[in-house]
Amino acid sequence: MKWKPNRQSHLTVREQIIDWIKTHIERGDWTVGTKLPTQRQLAAQFHVNRSTVQLAFDELRADGLIESKMGSGVFVANNSWNVLLNKSQPNWQHHIESSLHKPNYHTIQLINEYEQKEEVIRLGTGELAPELLPTRQIEQSLAQISLDSKAIGYSSPKGSEKLRGILCQHLKKRGIYTTPDNILIVSGALQALQLIAVGLLEEGSTIFHEPPSYLNSVHPFQSAGMRMVSISRNHHLADNLRAYKRKRQSLFYCIPTLHNPTGCNWPAEEKKTLYDTCRELQIPIIEDDVYHELLFEKPAPAIKSWDTSGQVLYIGSISKTLSPGLRIGWVVAPSPVIERLADIKMQTDYGSSAFSQEIAAHWISSGLYEKHLIDLREQLKRRARFTEELLEQTFKNMATWKTSEGGFYIWLKFQQPVVNKALFLNLLHHNVLINPGYIYEPSDLQHIRLSYAYASLEDLKQGLNILRNLIQPGDREDNRF
């Protein structure tokens, strides 16, 4: 019996005819080049108007499954199998491209990929070298940590109460006086930014940040639909903030101590000026303070230390000092903010690692952490001075830099705009990985964020020599990201 449309089906007659023809092609009954019955023949077979068959043909033709040949009829198209295959599988590329979260720049994707390769000299990596991590001491300290079943279960929404209490004492050294209820334990500072982006701001809010900015190399706020505004801290600061803010919700993100990527420090008076200006304009501040314990000299007070109205959201972490793998950071903020961020965090990961929180609590409370910091700062200081001597020998006539005050980075500025995508890729070819300035400020083709914290001293010397040999003053190719 020849097939006929089912008049009782939820599908229209036209849709049933389309599916019937597709089935013949999918099963191989009608291979590429097969001539289809005429519209008149099919209309008679299906007991439908010819116009219905014609509409079905038009749709199949538009989809690339069939094609008309003048004077010859209608045939199965050459590309029909590919069309059917694509339509039978999810279009994941479309899902990816239309998703909310912005992809990393291609350069950053390559950085993340090549940082995993043992043979690569990592001149820009923002973490401690394995030999600078207190691996053996952490291993030994595990025997001193007492665990109970509650401690290693799911964490409370705000994190370990023990760790939050210890942090209250620890933060007093920074001039910050708070309570456990005003602290949220997060899985690193980046998670804090992600929680703030989705939990405290409406779409289209303004995020102020100074150029160059770490925020340009990660996208928590951009992906949440925020408007990023780069703004300099000069005598026009108040006027510029007022002009850009208007009636929008806004935040000012800053790293005033050992800024990433420049390594610079704000004087205390500049911190106070920003705080007073933002308080007057009712612009909350995110103070990212993850590097302050790596300063070679005593740091200036944290902006949060002046905060009496809950205007400053303070972010700290042990990822840069003790272990990035522990994934432990914290946010200090007013109780309603902490409650909100904790609720969102529980929706995403049910709390940071209980084991990591126990290790962090033990190290900070026992004095092991402070002892480690003293040794770590001394080692980083030696590395910084070694690197600066290399720069003096290698780049004196083609670049400038400031003496490092601590942390990981030297912001190396070349006299010519040579730090482009072509140089980045050329260095990769020679197994040298850099963090170019354009990932922090799109128009910057003169800077490299040079890290002395990860590569060995021999690798630093070798990598900088390769960099010097590859830089050509006449290279102006601009192929960013």
Side-chain angles (χ1 to χ4, degrees), residues 168 171-179 304-305 307 332:
C168 287
L171 287 165
K172 289 179 181 179
K173 300 175 185 176
R174 199 75 179 106
I176 299 171
Y177 294 84
T178 188
T179 69
K304 183 66 176 175
S305 67
D307 186 22
V332 182

Side-chain angles (χ1 to χ4, degrees), residues 295-313:
L295 266 168
F296 298 151
E297 304 297 335
K298 185 177 179 180
I303 297 175
K304 183 66 176 175
S305 67
W306 294 303
D307 186 22
T308 57
S309 59
Q311 180 181 330
V312 180
L313 310 181

Side-chain angles (χ1 to χ4, degrees), residues 32 86 124 136 153 165 206 209 296 302 304 349 377 395:
V32 171
N86 289 336
R136 183 65 60 84
T206 299
H209 58 103
F296 298 151
K304 183 66 176 175
D349 66 5
R377 284 191 291 264
F395 294 100

Side-chain angles (χ1 to χ4, degrees), residues 211-411:
S213 177
Y214 167 66
L215 287 186
N216 283 332
S217 65
V218 294
H219 293 151
F221 293 106
Q222 295 93 322
S223 295
M226 307 305 164
R227 188 172 69 122
M228 312 300 295
V229 175
S230 201
I231 195 162
S232 297
R233 292 177 294 106
N234 53 33
H235 61 283
H236 297 300
L237 176 64
D239 291 337
N240 289 337
L241 287 175
R242 187 178 291 107
Y244 283 111
K245 179 181 184 292
R246 297 176 185 172
K247 294 183 179 179
R248 296 175 183 264
Q249 285 188 350
S250 59
L251 285 172
F252 196 113
Y253 172 81
C254 60
I255 309 177
T257 304
L258 293 175
H259 176 264
N260 180 10
T262 67
C264 294
N265 290 296
W266 299 11
E269 57 270 21
E270 290 190 19
K271 293 183 179 182
K272 190 66 164 58
T273 297
L274 178 75
Y275 173 74
D276 291 339
T277 302
C278 288
R279 182 179 60 181
E280 178 188 347
L281 297 175
Q282 294 186 315
I283 299 174
I285 298 170
I286 301 175
E287 182 179 14
D288 191 338
D289 204 31
V290 299
Y291 293 98
H292 82 273
E293 291 171 314
L294 299 178
L295 266 168
F296 298 151
E297 304 297 335
K298 185 177 179 180
I303 297 175
K304 183 66 176 175
S305 67
W306 294 303
D307 186 22
T308 57
S309 59
Q311 180 181 330
V312 180
L313 310 181
Y314 179 89
I315 299 175
S317 172
I318 58 171
S319 292
K320 303 299 182 184
T321 53
L322 183 60
S323 166
L326 289 175
R327 306 307 305 138
I328 294 296
W330 49 88
V331 181
V332 182
S335 296
V337 172
I338 294 298
E339 295 286 349
R340 170 63 170 162
L341 300 184
D343 176 55
I344 298 174
K345 179 171 171 59
M346 289 300 283
Q347 295 178 48
T348 57
D349 66 5
Y350 264 94
S352 299
S353 165
F355 290 103
S356 293
Q357 291 182 76
E358 286 292 325
I359 293 171
H362 175 73
W363 269 69
I364 295 173
S365 63
S366 67
L368 284 172
Y369 184 59
E370 190 59 41
K371 183 180 179 181
H372 162 69
L373 287 175
I374 294 171
D375 180 62
L376 177 60
R377 284 191 291 264
E378 189 58 37
Q379 293 191 64
L380 287 174
K381 191 172 185 177
R382 286 198 295 268
R383 281 171 162 262
R385 301 302 169 247
F386 175 84
T387 304
E388 288 159 1
E389 289 177 9
L390 287 178
L391 292 175
E392 187 71 23
Q393 298 166 14
T394 313
F395 294 100
K396 181 178 181 180
N397 296 324
M398 58 192 308
T400 57
W401 61 92
K402 291 183 178 179
T403 300
S404 175
E405 298 179 52
F408 297 168
Y409 311 123
I410 294 173
W411 193 230

